[in-house]
Amino acid sequence: MQGWTRTVFPANTVAGPTLFGLLGEAVESAWKAIAMKLGFASLVTTAVGASALLGTTAQCPDFTTYSQSPQGNPSSGPLALPYMRPDPACRTFNSTAVEKVISDMKSRLKDPDLARLFENTFPNTLDTTVKYFNATENLAFIITGDITAQWLRDTANQFAHYHTLLSTDKELATLVKAVINNEARYVSQYPYCGAFQPPPESGLAPSFNGYAEGVTVNPRVNNQTVFECKYEIDSLCGFLKLSRSFYQATNDASFMNDNWFAAVDQIFRVIWEQSQSTFDEDYNLVSYYNWTGGNGALSPAVNNAGNGEPKLYTGLVGTHHRPSDDLSTFAFLVPANAMLSVELAHLADVLDAAKQAKNISTLARKYSSTITNAIWDTTLVNNIFAYETNGFGGRYVMDDANVPSLLSLPYLGFLEKTHPAYVATRKLLLSRKNPYFAAGKNFSGIGGPHVDAWNPWPMSQISAIFGTDDDSEIMQSLYLIANNTHGLGLIHESINIYDSTYTRPWFAWANSYFAEMLLDLAQRKPHLIFKDGKPYTPGQ
């Protein structure tokens, strides 16, 4: 997750609703009809304001500002959560399938506050982050929050809860395929980088990133294409996840073009390079990539001249940074390797199903097996997974809120939530034995050094829900999240356990992850959230 904006908001931040917020629900159906007739869903640029249609001087509000105060009519539950969707004319992409899911869930959820949270969070990615989409060029540019840059990892996670709709919503499927094609271009050129500028075709100007200025990256990168080049394994995993989930939903293999295969080839190159020991047998330094940091970068300098902590070959793949953008303490980040092993196995399955590139499929299975075995053989002690290891016996036992995390291992598909090693590890992670677990009067959970040790993240409670079948644990985590939106009806980045201040009123990934979790409960635990207790699957 990018972390440039760290504005801390007090718990009682309140301001009057804007004009668009007051109009939001009242004109919903009318605007929806207009949007469909005028083809809003396939706009080839950023969202235009309502003034473009109304002929007024009004403009679409910046959503970062918009999200900092309550907007539309409150829900009828005790939390009275506001309606936080932008005006229909200001949304960046429209999907009738998404609107149908919102309607279905609202009609079935017991709690009107949870219904409002779902209504706000499920469409948030499409409402706010599609900055460019051109079906003809097969390109799309998606942001995560308040920065005009596309993160490989965040984008995959932001679209995860839409996958079941891709077979029925052709335009949404076209958008996702365009995202994949754009990301393939990025990865094939700069596989060690995780955040990118808009494609030239978009007409959007590259953003100046002061945190990247003065940072030495080897191999060198072009900052007109790359927004930031901190290397994180999960960025590559995100690209693989988005690709395979698209195929699984649509059986459309047309994205597997030369550009995409070039990107996959580069991923295998990174896997091989970053699994090597820091020194060869003659103590020659083995370095394929380094990132100095410092010189104004948000992240501290990577030690050992940008090469990171020494590592010894185990079969795992090293990384300099965690999903949080924080420095790795030890190179082998276990949950990221778990995600990589899962996605490589999926890649092989998808290639086999599409009857494509048997050699790549075979290599993917080989690496997946090697990484999986290394996790079980080198990171587990007394049934507890380490968060990071180095191959020399070093183990860091902790967890971070960002996904992939140890707490999210079942969500990632690495193991079952009932596996004894996960049960034991989970118990430790949600206790004082995890240095980044913190508990206060109103909120508790896992955070990380990205903000600080006393600011746990709601995302950790979402991961906790994915990792248990215990009804009471699920409901406790669910309402810890619901009760801590500070009257804004959106999921924050983190919450201070001492004074309930928070960072980020709006964070598209966290919103998407929350909605994905509610849809999981709709299938797995419908009696907990639905009036009729019957399961629900979007698109069916």
Side-chain angles (χ1 to χ4, degrees), residues 459-474:
M459 281 183 66
S460 69
Q461 292 293 351
I462 298 172
S463 295
I465 292 172
F466 276 110
T468 184
D469 282 322
D470 184 281
D471 288 1
S472 62
E473 290 181 354
I474 290 172

Side-chain angles (χ1 to χ4, degrees), residues 305-325:
N307 290 288
E309 278 293 300
K311 63 186 187 295
L312 186 66
Y313 178 85
T314 64
L316 298 177
V317 181
T319 186
H320 289 183
H321 286 87
R322 300 169 178 171
S324 58
D325 288 340

